[in-house]
């Protein structure tokens, strides 16, 4: 037999299929070791055949196969080709996505545990007291973990019992099971008519993809669980994706109460051993439901019946390292291959997804009401410009202080949310709310301190730094928001007896870090939870009746064409944490731009109004989905080499423009806004394309100029343009 092998080297020069001879027993999908250029290298078998296309004497044999069963599911080969042609990466890079990295590097193996099993029928000498005790214990228990038995009676005694035949040693596979102490999730519920209708619609419709647009607390999770249950009953499998690692335990407990050991968790926060075991449980078919963040879309499942992507609008679903894939795109490929349903859910769908849903490409299911018609929380706007004028220099408006006071008095809980991700400094006037924008692009400018200037990340234009506001002549123009620490210390002064928990990147560490803080808060061991984006999503705390949003402006004036969309999403998501159970919830939203239309729509929970306005604006300004922002990044420690590659790439793109002049709305080459990161010079070719029909050729240009010393890659509608 002959095996077609992809060697595990991420380099375009060896991005070929190599042939080796192999034993008849070798299956497609196996990982093997093969001789390659005088070394032994890992590889993936993507095909086996009876005949070889080379003369037999030229074909070398494989060295060995790794696992008892093939690691890759059969679908991988097909998906590999799709991923390679879409994102222009070497085949090895595409295949690596399907195997946990520790497993590839051979760092984890299956764990085994020794058990002592009672056999009996031996005569021990009367003086060997410990041996007799160990034997007696084994007789009672039948068997016992060897290590703990030694701890109880001494290794010598235990070994003597085994040697004399009183017990035998058995080596068994030990399963490292993460989050074994999770509390049980909610029991199964009778579906509301709206939930039942949604479930029926997904079943009835012949559309591959459905979007559930349901307000927070409308019972989307229950629908997902039922979609999964239906597929499991049919003997199929399912993938359930959530945007944040911190949300997985909560969903896992729901899945476990319903599906027991059929649910497996995959995420980067697990220990290598846990990940390895959970992964093999899925691969072997023992587990049938994979839950995790973005990378779980590559779960080793066969015969997939449903893929769920919760909070589909979340930017974490875009990979920021090679290959820069969109999770929704990969999920579509897998759904297509398996004939599965893809269900996207959100209270605030991304503009891109919603366009597809309204135009009929996706099925659209709306859930406009919360379960039990519970009201959505009231959102109060606090105008921070007025607070400054009143002489209030704390981070808290009067409205938020009053509401906090009320909440604590009632024995309820509050969440204080700080908007800090993608943190960048913008020029905003604290007195009148003026914001500095690019004259060409209508996006907010970003302050760069090293050059003391303002830059537009979409066209590269530079502006002088302002010393005073051009509208009101105010002097407080540089805006940088408040930190978590300041918020916590202000809170302690204002409410000395309140118990405060803080959750951000600085306080969260270890794989259980998130989970422990959230568990404490859920158990009402604290009154106020202060945190960043991590606490915005998905969590269900019944006693939270107040949410304070410290600075809604941070994302409103983020220099991104999606800043309006992001702000709307964020306010809706965070507000959704309030008033989910008994008492009515409230939200206090602090801002310096209270008249902004995005905030108006968010306060009224008017997604459709927001969408109509936003899509009209995108059309008028020519931003996605009416164009494609595309950036080719060129980075290298060697500045001259980077510049050389940049020229080459730019030349190739200019040639493209000559052929397709209408396709290029904007094209330029320049330094990236941040010129150097970690010793690497950063250059870019920035484009705005009309339709993206030349995208493949742009990837080709990037690949052609990439070399060992210079990294060149393409980003589509990047979340971060710095
Ligand atoms: P979403 O995912 O849309 O934000 P959830 O699925 O978390 O909403 O549901 C909100 C709340 O309503 C949860 O506490 C959930 O347990 C409860 N719930 C969901 N479906 C039902 C139902 N059919 N009957 C009663 N309560 C339900
Ligand atoms: Zn601009």
């Amino acid at each position: 037999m002959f095996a077609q092998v992809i060697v595990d080297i991420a380099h375009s020069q060896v991005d070929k299929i190599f042939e080796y001879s192999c034993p008849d027993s070798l299956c497609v999908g196996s990982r093997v070791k093969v001789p390659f250029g005088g070394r032994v290298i890992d590889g993936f078998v993507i095909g086996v055949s009876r005949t070889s296309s080379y003369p037999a004497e030229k074909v070398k044999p494989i060295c060995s196969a790794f696992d008892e069963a093939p690691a890759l599911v059969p679908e991988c080969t097909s998906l590999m080709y799709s991923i390679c042609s879409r994102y222009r990466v070497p085949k090895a890079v595409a295949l690596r996505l399907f195997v946990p990295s520790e497993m590839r590097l051979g760092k984890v193996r299956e764990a085994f545990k020794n058990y002592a099993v009672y056999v009996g029928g031996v005569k021990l000498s009367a003086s060997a007291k410990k041996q007799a005790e160990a034997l007696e214990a084994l007789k009672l228990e039948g068997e016992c973990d060897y290590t703990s038995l030694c701890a109880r009676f001494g290794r010598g005694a235990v070994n003597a019992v085994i040697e004399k035949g009183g017990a035998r040693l058995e080596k068994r596979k030990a399963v490292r099971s993460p989050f074994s102490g999770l509390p049980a999730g909610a029991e199964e519920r009778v579906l509301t008519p709206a939930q039942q209708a949604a479930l029926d619609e997904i079943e009835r419709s012949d559309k591959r993809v459905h979007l559930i647009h349901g307000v927070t607390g409308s019972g989307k999770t229950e629908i997902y669980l039922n979609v999964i249950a239906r597929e499991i009953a049919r003997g199929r499998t399912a993938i359930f994706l959530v945007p944040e690692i911190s949300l997985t335990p909560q969903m896992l407990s729901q899945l476990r109460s319903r599906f027991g050991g059929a649910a497996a968790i995959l995420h980067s926060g697990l220990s290598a051993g846990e990940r390895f075991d959970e992964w093999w449980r899925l691969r072997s078919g023992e587990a049938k439901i994979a839950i995790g963040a973005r990378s779980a879309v590559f779960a080793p499942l066969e015969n997939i019946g449903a893929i769920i992507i919760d909070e589909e609008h979340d930017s974490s679903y875009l990979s920021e390292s090679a290959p820069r894939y969109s999770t929704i795109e990969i999920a579509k490929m897998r759904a297509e291959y398996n004939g599965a349903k893809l269900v996207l859910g959100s209270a605030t769908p991304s503009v891109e997804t919603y366009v597809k849903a309204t135009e009929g490409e996706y099925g659209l299911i709306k859930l406009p009401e919360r379960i039990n018609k519970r009201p959505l929380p009231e959102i109060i706007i606090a105008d921070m410009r007025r607070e400054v004028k009143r002489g209030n220099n704390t981070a808290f408006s009067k409205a938020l202080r009053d509401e906090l006071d009320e909440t604590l008095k009632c024995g309820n809980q509050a969440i204080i949310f700080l908007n800090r991700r993608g943190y960048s400094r913008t020029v905003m006037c604290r007195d009148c709310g003026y914001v500095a924008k690019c004259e060409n692009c209508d996006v907010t400018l970003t302050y760069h301190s090293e050059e003391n200037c303002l830059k537009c990340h979409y066209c590269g234009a530079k502006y002088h730094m302002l010393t005073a506001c051009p509208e009101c002549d105010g002097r407080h123009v540089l805006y940088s928001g408040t930190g978590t620490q300041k918020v916590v210390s202000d809170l302690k002064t204002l409410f000395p007896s309140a118990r405060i928990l803080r959750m951000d990147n600085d306080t969260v560490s270890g794989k259980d870090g998130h989970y422990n803080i959230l568990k404490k808060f859920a158990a009402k061991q604290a009154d106020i939870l202060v945190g960043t984006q991590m606490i915005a999503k998905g969590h269900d705390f019944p006693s939270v009746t107040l949410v304070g949003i410290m600075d809604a402006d941070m994302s409103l004036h983020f220099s991104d064409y999606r800043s309006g969309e992001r702000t709307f999403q964020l306010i809706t998501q965070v507000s959704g944490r309030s008033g989910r159970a008994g008492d009515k919830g409230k939200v206090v939203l602090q801002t310096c731009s209270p008249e902004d239309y995005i905030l108006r729509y968010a306060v009224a929970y008017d997604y459709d109004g927001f969408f109509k306005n936003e899509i009209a604006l995108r059309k008028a300004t020519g931003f996605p989905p009416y164009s494609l922002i595309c950036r080719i990044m060129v980075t290298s420690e060697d500045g001259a080499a980077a510049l050389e590659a940049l020229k080459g790439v730019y030349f190739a793109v200019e040639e493209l423009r000559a052929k397709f002049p209408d396709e290029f709305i904007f094209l330029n080459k320049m330094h990236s806004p941040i010129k150097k990161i970690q010793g690497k010079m950063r250059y870019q070719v920035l484009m705005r394309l009309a339709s993206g029909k030349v995208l493949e050729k742009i990837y080709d240009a990037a690949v052609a100029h990439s070399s060992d010393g210079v990294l060149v890659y393409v980003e589509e509608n990047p979340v971060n343009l710095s």
Side-chain angles (χ1 to χ4, degrees):
M1 289 284 272
F2 298 93
Q4 282 88 50
V5 174
I6 306 289
V7 291
D8 194 4
I9 301 174
H11 203 294
S12 54
Q13 271 165 16
V14 295
D15 188 21
K16 296 173 190 142
I17 299 172
F18 296 92
E19 234 173 41
Y20 293 89
S21 63
C22 67
D24 284 1
S25 58
L26 193 72
C27 305
V28 175
S30 300
R31 296 185 306 138
V32 288
K33 284 195 179 292
V34 292
F36 190 82
R39 288 190 294 156
V40 173
I41 292 219
D42 294 359
F44 302 97
V45 178
I46 61 156
V48 288
S49 54
R50 292 246 146 254
T51 55
S52 167
S53 34
Y54 300 97
E57 68 276 9
K58 286 209 169 161
V59 179
K60 289 181 192 155
I62 67 163
C63 305
S64 59
F66 266 95
D67 316 296
E68 282 160 35
L72 301 178
V73 292
E75 184 189 349
C76 286
T77 317
S78 145
L79 227 55
M80 175 192 79
Y81 284 114
S82 308
I83 291 170
C84 291
S85 79
R86 174 66 180 82
Y87 301 107
R88 296 295 155 119
V89 288
K91 296 180 196 64
V93 172
L95 288 176
R96 281 175 189 177
L97 293 166
F98 294 94
V99 225
S101 59
E102 307 90 349
M103 191 166 122
R104 264 187 48 238
L105 304 170
K107 284 196 190 136
V108 279
R109 293 265 169 271
E110 278 171 287
F112 290 96
K113 246 184 169 169
N114 285 317
Y115 287 86
V117 183
Y118 180 72
V119 180
V122 283
K123 276 263 166 278
L124 302 171
S125 71
S127 61
K129 267 217 166 124
K130 282 281 173 207
Q131 294 179 26
E133 279 172 31
L135 190 66
E136 189 55 31
L138 270 176
K139 189 174 173 184
L140 275 174
E141 293 160 32
E143 62 176 47
C144 187
D145 170 36
Y146 174 75
T147 319
S148 53
L149 198 65
C150 292
R152 279 155 71 191
F153 304 103
R155 185 174 299 267
V158 174
N159 285 346
V161 171
I162 293 169
E163 266 160 39
K164 289 175 185 159
R168 76 185 131 77
L169 211 53
E170 262 183 28
K171 193 172 171 186
R172 286 193 214 143
K173 204 172 145 180
V175 174
R176 292 156 285 203
S177 175
F179 300 111
S180 45
L182 274 185
E187 76 282 15
E188 198 171 333
R189 300 174 194 277
V190 180
L191 295 185
T192 63
Q195 287 170 325
Q196 188 60 51
L199 199 63
D200 293 345
E201 173 63 17
I202 293 168
E203 177 74 1
R204 185 203 58 77
S205 151
D206 52 13
K207 294 219 158 87
R208 174 76 59 222
V209 188
H210 284 86
L211 169 68
I212 304 181
H213 174 211
V215 297
T216 54
S218 58
K220 295 186 288 296
T221 311
E222 196 64 35
I223 301 174
Y224 304 149
L225 294 173
N226 278 278
V227 170
I228 294 172
R230 194 159 62 193
E231 296 306 327
I232 297 297
R234 290 182 176 137
R236 308 189 75 185
T237 64
I239 299 177
F240 189 165
L241 303 179
V242 294
E244 288 262 334
I245 287 179
S246 67
L247 290 170
T248 45
Q250 184 186 330
M251 287 298 185
L252 182 66
S253 68
Q254 301 264 16
L255 289 172
R256 278 202 186 138
S257 348
R258 253 180 248 175
F259 306 104
I265 187 168
L266 286 180
H267 76 59
S268 54
L270 301 183
S271 74
E274 286 172 342
R275 212 140 72 110
F276 181 87
D277 291 349
E278 287 290 90
W279 193 90
W280 273 110
R281 287 208 310 121
L282 289 162
R283 179 67 189 99
S284 68
E286 180 193 328
K288 299 185 184 316
I289 307 160
I291 174 159
R294 174 176 77 219
S295 62
V297 76
F298 297 102
L301 286 166
E302 295 179 63
N303 194 14
I304 300 169
I307 303 177
I308 313 282
I309 303 186
D310 192 22
E311 315 280 9
E312 67 81 28
H313 61 274
D314 200 276
S315 58
S316 72
Y317 287 124
L318 291 176
S319 165
E320 290 196 326
S321 56
R324 292 173 169 71
Y325 63 86
S326 137
T327 307
I328 295 181
E329 272 185 29
I330 304 282
K332 275 188 203 166
M333 293 174 189
R334 296 202 75 176
E336 203 60 51
Y337 180 94
N338 288 279
K341 294 277 183 187
L342 171 57
V343 179
L344 311 174
S346 176
T348 51
S350 74
V351 167
E352 201 180 11
T353 296
Y354 209 67
V355 168
K356 292 187 171 126
T358 49
E359 289 176 352
E361 186 180 336
Y362 300 165
L364 177 59
I365 294 164
K366 291 193 184 192
L367 300 171
E369 283 180 352
R370 280 188 160 182
I371 292 283
N372 297 333
K373 297 213 157 74
R374 214 167 272 145
L376 286 158
E378 177 194 355
I379 306 181
I380 304 159
I381 289 191
D383 183 346
M384 293 311 278
R385 296 172 307 184
R386 238 185 266 160
E387 301 286 329
V388 175
K389 283 196 188 114
R390 276 188 200 147
N392 172 8
N393 283 317
T394 69
F396 290 84
S397 61
K398 179 165 185 318
L400 184 50
R401 282 199 315 258
D402 291 349
E403 292 298 338
L404 266 171
D405 203 37
E406 188 64 29
T407 305
L408 296 175
K409 271 192 195 131
C410 298
N412 287 325
Q413 289 177 298
I415 289 178
I416 301 293
F417 173 74
L418 275 105
N419 197 354
R420 275 207 324 194
R421 183 177 297 162
Y423 170 71
S424 70
R425 292 205 288 178
T426 54
V427 164
M428 185 172 88
C429 174
R430 292 279 286 184
D431 299 325
C432 77
Y434 162 86
V435 176
K437 290 192 163 185
C438 176
E439 287 161 15
N440 313 321
C441 305
D442 195 35
V443 294
T444 305
L445 300 173
T446 303
Y447 176 66
H448 286 259
S449 57
E450 70 283 13
E451 293 168 74
N452 192 36
C453 72
L454 302 171
K455 287 186 191 176
C456 169
H457 287 185
Y458 285 84
C459 72
K462 276 192 202 176
Y463 298 81
H464 286 296
M465 177 55 191
L466 301 174
T467 48
C469 170
E471 300 270 312
C472 78
D473 206 34
R475 302 285 144 163
H476 308 100
V477 287
L478 192 62
Y479 187 65
S480 52
T482 328
T484 0
Q485 274 154 337
K486 159 104 170 105
V487 168
V488 171
S489 75
D490 278 3
L491 267 180
K492 280 187 178 147
T493 322
L494 293 169
F495 304 99
S497 61
R499 295 164 303 166
I500 303 165
L501 272 178
R502 187 179 137 202
M503 176 153 151
D504 55 29
N505 280 324
D506 305 330
T507 57
V508 175
S509 61
K511 82 182 159 75
D512 297 332
H514 295 109
Y515 180 57
N516 289 339
I517 295 177
L518 296 172
K519 202 164 66 177
K520 245 185 170 169
F521 191 61
K524 293 195 78 171
Q525 288 167 17
D527 308 304
I528 306 175
L529 175 64
V530 178
T532 53
Q533 259 74 356
M534 285 178 196
I535 60 174
K537 301 162 193 168
H539 303 292
D540 197 7
F541 301 114
S543 299
V544 170
T545 55
L546 175 66
V547 167
I549 303 175
M550 296 309 285
D551 37 15
D553 306 319
M554 279 298 267
S555 64
L556 199 54
H557 305 311
F558 189 45
S559 59
D560 184 333
Y561 68 90
R562 278 160 296 210
S563 61
E565 179 181 352
R566 292 271 183 253
T567 306
F568 186 90
Q569 286 164 350
L570 207 65
I571 294 173
T572 312
Q573 292 298 323
V574 185
S575 303
R577 301 313 112 217
S578 183
R580 290 175 75 85
D583 296 346
K584 188 171 184 310
K586 277 194 183 172
V587 177
V588 178
L589 190 159
Q590 304 194 150
T591 173
C592 290
S593 331
E595 65 294 321
D596 195 288
Y597 74 94
I598 295 283
L599 303 190
R600 294 280 151 204
Y601 285 125
V603 165
Y605 295 100
D606 183 4
Y607 179 86
D608 285 318
F610 151 78
F611 176 76
K612 271 199 194 115
N613 206 299
E614 186 68 22
I615 202 76
L617 189 71
R618 300 275 179 96
K619 201 166 197 167
T621 51
F623 273 109
Y626 297 100
S627 66
L628 178 74
I629 311 274
C630 182
R631 170 161 88 158
I632 307 181
M633 278 299 294
V634 180
T635 74
S636 176
E637 281 174 12
D638 179 347
L643 214 49
E644 202 53 39
L646 178 74
K647 277 186 203 147
V649 170
Y650 188 69
F651 185 72
V653 177
E654 273 210 308
E655 274 189 324
L656 262 183
R657 179 167 64 171
K659 261 192 233 156
F660 304 94
D662 295 344
E663 190 55 21
F664 287 80
I665 304 167
F666 174 86
L667 168 66
N668 213 342
K669 62 175 189 301
M670 58 188 92
H671 270 293
S672 299
I674 300 174
K675 289 181 182 169
K676 202 172 175 181
I677 293 179
Q678 291 177 333
K680 287 192 175 138
M681 298 304 293
R682 306 169 83 241
Y683 294 98
Q684 64 188 34
V685 176
L686 195 58
M687 299 158 258
R688 212 193 295 178
L689 305 170
S691 71
K693 67 178 181 195
V694 294
L695 195 58
E696 247 180 65
K697 299 198 171 69
I698 285 173
Y699 272 95
D700 287 342
V703 170
H705 291 88
S706 201
S707 61
D708 286 342
V710 186
L711 182 64
V712 185
Y713 58 88
V714 178
E715 294 174 313
E716 299 168 38
N717 294 336
V719 175
N720 185 346
L721 270 178
S722 56

